[in-house]
Amino acid sequence: MVFAPDTEVALRTVVRLINSAANGEEHLATIGDLDRFLREEGFSGARARDTAELASVHKLRGQLTELWTMDEGSAVETVNRLLREANALPQLIKHDEWDWHLHATTREAPLADRMSTEAAMALVDVIRSKEMDRMLVCAAEDCDAVVLDLSRNRSKRYCDTGNCANRAHVAAYRARKAAS
């Protein structure tokens, strides 16, 4: 484990959120899609369940997509802005199946504020640990999905959205066979 368990969960959620619009596809097109995403990611708290809420999550997704490839200084500015805009006030909380972990907004805060704060708090750990090089873009030439490399040897290069790693390995194998 590279980070605290709740940080890793939040980072994986950020990856899933960003990749919900990877490669020109939209996997959060409807409120139902958002409901399913939030259920799968274990988000709780107040919900508006309207198009404005969906639009605010899309806006956050765009901000996190940009942040993913920023240099450290720009990432710090963006993380601090996200925390300020959500009026973040970190607190230890225990709920549902989770033991003590950090929340920085109330359960009643707007969904996008809760999501951005959780993402920002996880990214604080990444930045403070000097681990931003674990935030990658898929190495496949035809893929723009993001990758979170939590491997010990920092070897993860391909996303989990499709068959990018498999396609790359097959192409490399065929190239080696053709060369010999």
Side-chain angles (χ1 to χ4, degrees):
M1 176 173 17
V2 179
F3 302 105
D6 57 325
T7 297
E8 289 190 10
V9 167
L11 291 170
R12 286 187 177 105
T13 299
V14 170
V15 168
R16 281 204 61 219
L17 179 60
I18 293 171
N19 288 346
S20 70
N23 303 315
E25 297 181 23
E26 177 56 73
H27 295 283
L28 290 180
T30 68
I31 295 166
D33 294 338
L34 180 59
D35 289 342
R36 185 173 31 265
F37 176 86
L38 296 171
R39 188 173 48 256
E40 289 170 358
E41 294 301 314
F43 265 88
S44 58
R47 289 285 311 286
R49 286 188 172 79
D50 60 18
T51 56
E53 182 177 69
L54 181 61
S56 68
V57 171
H58 286 172
K59 179 181 175 191
L60 171 62
R61 179 178 62 193
Q63 293 170 332
L64 293 173
T65 301
E66 290 174 13
L67 189 150
W68 199 259
T69 56
M70 288 179 179
D71 62 84
E72 183 179 271
S74 299
V76 166
E77 287 177 26
T78 301
V79 164
N80 284 339
R81 181 182 47 75
L82 290 172
L83 291 169
R84 261 191 324 275
E85 289 175 354
N87 297 311
L89 179 61
Q91 307 169 51
L92 283 170
I93 304 288
K94 187 189 280 192
H95 64 87
D96 301 321
E97 76 276 0
W98 293 96
D99 201 356
W100 292 112
H101 61 284
L102 283 174
H103 275 217
T105 58
T106 66
R107 293 173 58 84
E108 295 76 31
L111 175 63
D113 285 353
R114 293 193 323 272
M115 291 178 76
S116 68
T117 301
E118 189 165 319
M121 294 294 290
L123 290 163
V124 163
D125 282 352
V126 173
I127 294 166
R128 289 182 332 132
S129 301
K130 300 291 187 195
E131 296 284 359
M132 286 187 67
D133 58 340
R134 292 182 179 276
M135 298 165 48
L136 309 167
V137 174
C138 184
E141 292 179 15
D142 60 343
C143 183
D144 64 2
V146 300
V147 177
L148 176 63
D149 183 2
L150 295 177
S151 66
R152 277 187 154 178
N153 63 358
R154 298 172 186 264
S155 61
K156 187 165 182 170
R157 297 178 45 222
Y158 297 97
C159 70
D160 297 325
T161 63
N163 300 337
C164 293
N166 190 39
R167 285 185 293 117
H169 295 151
V170 167
Y173 172 78
R174 288 179 180 159
R176 284 192 307 274
K177 283 295 192 186
S180 60

